[in-house]
């Protein structure tokens, strides 16, 4: 049974007031007088976040190739045609996301002020996909919330200057259940849930009970002090979305987790173990504001102000959706070295050889798609550009293109980065929805998704990791045409 | 230049990674005392 | 540069002596290379790590600079670095790192 890409969704939650709770801001703000105020002064409004061109690409209203033509800096050249909704998802405002956090909370750890909570509950009831959310009754008094914060048992949830709630620690002594870790887990759960809802609303079958299995590839790991990465947030998200017949598991491999998960899901479907597997990746709270000091210094808005989540549905062949080439999964084996040449040969050239293809036979490569406006402002490289240039250099070394064609290679086979620097989320998959639509519209024949994982950050090995997956037009559609 | 010298191989994941730099420097006669790769994203 | 790595390099410089330690880096562009070079010569420009206002003055090179390349057997260099030498803007990177090195030795 061939496995196909049945759909992909991408959502953003604009959470500027969570930026100070990101890992870097949490550590740096207390060290420098006035930095906290400067941070707040450089936060974007919701309207600005929605009109930010890369965010519109993320939810599918603009194609990546069109972004390449748009005037930079993008943050100064906002798009007039900006929408909350797009073909792959939406950009949710912060107040609604706080409501979603509350709905994701099964242990009374998110406390929202009662007036605010009822207001948000009413707002979410009008949301086309969230009218059935539970757990939004009641609320807490502002005195209770202040008291909890004063006792250092919680972190504040602000809306601009207003305190509207808090997130409580789940255990007095267990650092794995501190308020910060709980907020990290619930942010991933709530944002991935929203992505899953959008996915199910956009793909057949729409009934969440038809999902057999869930694989989560979120950045964080949930657990307690005895097993910090215990998991299984996939099941928690599935429960919230009503995937009553599914169970699942979490896939961990740094930024390679999404491509590993796609390979595993496709294999499960192809083996006949499951018919419909949903892949979930929630947003990363620690990565909010990671380069905020550089953005403040350059007097530009803090662009790492959105949580990003993606959901992908892989299922059995429907005769129309792009197929996943499980016979050509690219991997970086342990025996391969750390040189870029070996990595790219293993992960790009070898799988292509299996299919009798060359590098230039893939129409679009999706590498890690970090928005360069975020990283370059911090004096760091444009990650996607470097990856495309490395691929182009390999094509050049293999005699597929001339050296003078390397610049064109980047434009033709690549795209500008448009994803927030949300850890695993930028790792090739933000192009998933675009790729599916572009393949089904006949604009491209195939795409290779390729990601690298920085395993060395966990100090268990010097190795990095890399995995690639090729999707291509469903051969059944070709027969119909001929 | 590297013969008998101690060197740090300071790599970047999407540039040249630490172990690849270390291979070169060892071959150049240096003693690599610290190999590391940074990930900027 | 990661704070833990700053601490490691600082300690190694103390342990072996600044004159005996060389940093060879592999950052992906000129700005990023400059940042690394600055950190191990004049101090952490982001004022975040243990090398803040610490002038280690270590000799720092990029693996793509000819000064380094000429000392590495060419087969090993090609295998380990060849692809990125072609992919990255080696000249701009070399200019940036050389600039920091020259400044540091002038100071």
């Amino acid at each position: 049974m061939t496995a196909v890409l049945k759909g992909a969704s991408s959502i953003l939650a604009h959470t500027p007031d969570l930026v100070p709770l990101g890992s870097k801001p949490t550590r740096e703000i207390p060290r420098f007088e006035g930095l906290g105020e400067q941070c707040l002064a450089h936060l974007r409004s919701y309207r600005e976040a929605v009109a930010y061109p890369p965010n519109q690409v993320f939810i599918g209203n603009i194609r990546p190739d069109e972004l390449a033509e748009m005037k930079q800096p993008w943050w100064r050249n906002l798009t007039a045609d900006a929408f909350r909704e797009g073909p792959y998802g939406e950009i949710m405002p912060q107040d609604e996301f706080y409501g979603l956090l509350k709905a994701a909370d099964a242990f009374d750890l998110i406390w929202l002020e009662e007036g605010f909570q009822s207001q948000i509950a009413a707002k979410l009831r009008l949301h086309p996909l969230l009218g059935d959310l539970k757990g939004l009754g009641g609320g807490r008094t502002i005195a209770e919330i202040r008291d909890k914060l004063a006792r250092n048992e919680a972190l504040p949830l602000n809306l601009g200057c207003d305190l509207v709630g808090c997130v409580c620690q789940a255990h007095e002594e267990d650092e794995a259940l501190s308020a910060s870790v709980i907020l990290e887990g619930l942010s991933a759960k709530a944002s991935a849930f929203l992505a899953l809802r959008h996915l199910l609303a956009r793909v057949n079958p729409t009934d969440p009970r038809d999902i057999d299995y869930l694989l989560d590839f979120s950045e964080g790991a949930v657990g307690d002090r005895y097993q910090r990465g215990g998991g299984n947030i996939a099941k928690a998200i599935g429960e919230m979305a009503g995937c009553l017949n599914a169970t699942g598991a979490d896939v961990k491999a740094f930024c390679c987790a999404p491509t590993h998960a796609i390979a595993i899901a496709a294999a499960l479907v192809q083996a006949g173990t499951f018919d419909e597997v949903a892949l979930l990746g929630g947003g990363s709270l620690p990565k909010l504001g990671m380069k905020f000091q550089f953005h403040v210094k350059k007097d530009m808005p803090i662009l790492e102000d959105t949580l990003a989540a993606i959901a992908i549905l892989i299922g059995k062949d429907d005769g129309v959706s792009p197929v996943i080439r499980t016979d050509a999964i690219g991997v970086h084996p342990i025996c391969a070295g750390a040189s870029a040449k070996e990595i790219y040969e293993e992960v790009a050239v070898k799988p292509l050889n299996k299919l009798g293809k060359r590098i230039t036979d893939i129409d679009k490569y999706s590498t890690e798609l970090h928005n360069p406006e975020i990283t370059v402002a911090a004096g760091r490289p444009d990650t996607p550009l470097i990856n495309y240039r490395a691929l182009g250099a390999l094509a050049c070394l293999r005699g597929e293109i001339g050296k003078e064609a390397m610049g064109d290679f980047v434009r033709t086979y690549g795209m500008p980065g448009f994803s927030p620097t949300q850890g695993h989320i930028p790792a090739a998959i933000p192009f998933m929805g675009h790729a599916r639509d572009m393949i089904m519209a006949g604009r491209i024949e195939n795409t290779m998704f390729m990601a690298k994982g920085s395993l060395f950050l966990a100090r268990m090995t010097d190795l990095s990791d890399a995995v690639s997956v090729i999707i291509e037009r469903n051969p059944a559609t070709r027969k119909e045409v001929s | 230049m590297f013969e008998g010298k101690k060197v740090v191989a300071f790599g970047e994941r999407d540039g040249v990674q630490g172990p690849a730099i270390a291979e070169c420097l060892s071959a150049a006669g240096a003693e690599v005392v610290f190999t590391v790769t940074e990930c900027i994203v | 540069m990661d704070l833990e790595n700053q601490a490691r390099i600082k300690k190694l410089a103390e342990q072996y002596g600044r004159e005996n330690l060389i940093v060879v880096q592999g950052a992906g562009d000129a700005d990023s290379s400059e940042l690394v070079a600055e950190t191990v010569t004049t101090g952490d420009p982001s004022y975040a790590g243990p090398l803040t206002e610490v002038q280690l003055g270590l000799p720092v090179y990029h693996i793509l600079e000819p000064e380094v390349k000429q000392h590495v057997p060419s087969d090993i260099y090609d295998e380990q670095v060849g692809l990125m030498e072609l992919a990255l803007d080696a000249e701009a990177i070399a200019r940036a790192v050389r600039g920091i090195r020259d400044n540091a030795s002038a100071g």
Side-chain angles (χ1 to χ4, degrees):
Chain A
M1 175 60 71
T2 305
V4 298
L5 171 65
K6 296 183 93 172
S9 64
S10 314
I11 68 98
L12 297 170
H14 179 242
T15 54
D17 291 306
L18 296 185
V19 169
L21 303 179
S23 175
K24 190 84 175 172
T26 301
R27 286 176 284 127
E28 293 301 311
I29 286 173
R31 294 182 61 230
F32 298 97
E33 207 185 318
L35 186 58
E37 291 75 11
Q38 280 180 310
C39 172
L40 295 180
H42 286 83
L43 294 173
R44 281 189 294 194
S45 69
Y46 175 65
R47 202 182 52 79
E48 288 168 316
V50 170
Y52 184 53
N55 289 350
Q56 288 292 310
V57 180
F58 196 82
I59 62 168
N61 285 327
I62 299 175
R63 289 266 177 256
D65 282 347
E66 295 173 70
L67 181 67
E69 305 300 321
M70 293 172 89
K71 198 176 166 202
Q72 285 184 272
W74 296 316
W75 61 267
R76 211 177 260 159
N77 295 282
L78 301 177
T79 174
D81 296 320
F83 304 94
R84 169 178 173 154
E85 300 265 349
Y88 310 137
E90 67 172 295
I91 303 171
M92 178 175 261
Q94 181 169 252
D95 57 350
E96 292 179 37
F97 187 71
Y98 284 176
L100 211 53
L101 280 178
K102 178 67 200 161
D105 163 30
F107 288 83
D108 196 27
L109 298 170
I110 299 286
W111 291 8
L112 298 180
E113 190 275 324
E114 49 201 356
F116 172 73
Q117 187 161 320
S118 67
Q119 188 190 321
I120 291 308
K123 216 172 157 189
L124 287 174
R125 267 196 296 277
L126 298 175
H127 190 290
L129 303 178
L130 303 174
D132 63 337
L133 276 188
K134 293 185 179 65
L136 288 171
R140 297 277 179 162
T141 65
I142 198 74
E144 282 178 294
I145 292 166
R146 283 199 195 217
D147 180 55
K148 196 78 176 163
L149 288 166
R151 281 188 276 124
N152 270 333
E153 293 171 357
L155 287 170
L157 292 174
N158 294 318
L159 266 188
C161 300
D162 300 324
L163 176 70
V164 296
C166 66
V167 49
C168 306
Q169 64 186 26
H171 193 285
E172 260 180 51
E173 293 162 356
D174 188 344
E175 280 180 15
L177 296 171
S178 68
S180 160
V181 176
I182 291 293
L183 181 59
E184 183 184 331
L186 287 176
S187 296
K189 179 182 172 184
S191 56
F193 157 77
L194 184 61
L196 179 55
R197 269 284 157 94
H198 276 279
L199 177 74
L200 294 173
R202 283 164 164 75
V203 183
N204 290 320
T206 51
D207 191 336
R209 288 169 298 190
D210 288 341
I211 302 295
D212 301 310
Y213 201 65
L214 302 146
L215 284 171
D216 174 89
F217 54 78
S218 297
E219 176 117 329
V222 294
D224 69 357
R225 59 185 159 187
Y226 292 112
Q227 36 182 341
R228 273 166 296 185
N232 163 351
I233 198 172
K235 194 164 185 174
I237 298 161
E239 176 194 23
M240 193 174 171
C243 302
L244 300 179
N245 296 316
T247 183
D250 302 345
V251 178
K252 293 283 160 230
F254 276 94
C255 291
C256 274
T259 41
H260 274 287
I262 293 168
I264 295 167
L268 288 170
V269 169
Q270 194 162 337
T273 311
F274 299 115
D275 287 343
E276 309 286 344
V277 182
L279 312 182
L280 312 163
S284 166
L285 176 77
K287 294 257 162 99
L288 289 179
M290 189 167 51
K291 304 191 191 321
F292 84 107
Q293 283 160 294
F294 294 96
H295 297 164
V296 166
K297 210 165 163 187
K298 299 225 152 121
D299 202 20
M300 57 191 274
I302 295 170
L303 300 173
E304 294 166 305
D305 60 353
T306 42
L307 294 166
I310 287 180
I312 299 164
L313 185 63
I314 291 176
K316 54 184 184 181
D317 196 357
D318 56 6
V320 290
S321 295
V323 302
I324 297 161
R325 292 303 301 254
T326 48
D327 52 344
I329 303 290
V331 297
H332 177 245
I334 291 167
C335 63
S339 81
K341 186 159 170 263
E342 283 198 75
I343 293 174
Y344 283 100
E345 275 183 348
E346 292 289 347
V347 89
V349 176
K350 272 198 182 169
L352 289 172
N353 281 346
K354 282 188 192 165
L355 303 180
K357 288 185 192 299
R358 308 190 315 160
I359 293 174
T360 46
D361 290 332
I362 291 288
D363 290 342
K364 274 286 178 196
Y365 285 88
S366 184
T367 69
E368 293 181 39
L369 293 172
H370 304 274
N371 175 353
E373 208 155 78
I374 295 172
T375 55
V376 171
R380 312 318 295 262
D382 176 337
T383 303
L385 178 66
I386 291 183
N387 284 323
Y388 287 125
R389 287 193 61 90
L391 254 178
L394 191 58
C396 179
L397 287 177
R398 297 178 64 80
E400 291 189 32
I401 61 169
K403 202 173 170 185
E404 71 293 341
M406 275 175 56
D408 282 341
F409 181 93
V410 174
R411 276 186 293 280
T412 308
Y413 298 95
M415 67 193 84
F418 58 86
S419 172
T421 45
Q422 279 272 287
H424 300 181
I425 294 299
I429 50 172
F431 187 59
M432 197 61 80
H434 294 281
R436 184 174 186 275
D437 284 352
M438 288 167 77
I439 289 172
M440 291 177 73
R443 287 183 55 197
I444 54 173
E445 209 34 52
N446 52 25
T447 299
M448 178 186 278
F449 295 87
M450 180 193 300
K452 284 183 267 178
S454 304
L455 308 190
F456 44 81
L457 294 175
R459 310 309 202 260
M460 295 292 122
T461 170
D462 253 354
L463 295 174
S464 62
D465 195 18
V467 172
S468 72
V469 177
I470 296 167
I471 67 168
E472 64 182 23
R473 189 169 150 193
N474 194 309
T477 63
R478 203 166 288 130
K479 275 180 212 140
E480 276 168 30
V481 174
S482 61
Chain B
M1 179 167 99
F2 293 108
E3 205 66 51
K5 286 276 187 185
K6 320 264 189 223
V7 298
V8 172
F10 193 88
E12 194 173 272
R13 192 195 67 177
D14 295 301
V16 182
Q17 297 195 4
I21 299 173
E23 288 269 349
C24 292
L25 298 177
S26 299
E31 182 192 345
V32 181
V33 291
F34 179 37
T35 303
V36 69
T37 306
E38 288 208 335
C39 173
I40 61 122
V41 286
Chain C
M1 186 188 292
D2 180 75
L3 311 189
E4 198 52 43
N5 292 333
Q6 289 189 32
R8 269 301 278 283
I9 292 172
K10 189 172 175 221
K11 207 169 150 223
L12 289 166
E14 285 160 8
Q15 189 180 341
Y16 296 116
R18 295 173 184 196
E19 61 290 352
N20 295 318
L21 191 64
I22 304 174
V23 176
V24 180
Q25 58 153 321
D29 70 1
D31 282 356
S32 198
S33 304
E34 197 170 85
L35 215 62
V36 172
E38 222 176 321
T39 308
V40 298
T41 51
T42 54
D44 178 7
S46 69
Y47 294 95
L51 291 179
T52 301
E53 292 178 340
V54 175
Q55 301 194 353
L56 283 187
L58 296 178
V60 56
Y61 295 87
H62 195 286
I63 187 75
L64 297 183
E65 287 187 87
E67 288 91 328
V68 180
K69 186 179 175 180
Q70 65 181 351
H71 294 284
V72 181
S74 60
D75 55 333
I76 293 180
Y77 193 86
D78 280 351
E79 187 57 38
Q80 297 296 328
V81 189
L83 183 71
M84 294 317 285
E85 187 185 23
L86 193 55
L88 302 177
D89 188 346
E91 270 179 40
I93 287 172
R95 238 185 346 263
V97 179
R98 201 180 306 124
I100 299 287
R101 219 167 35 233
D102 291 349
N103 264 344
S105 58

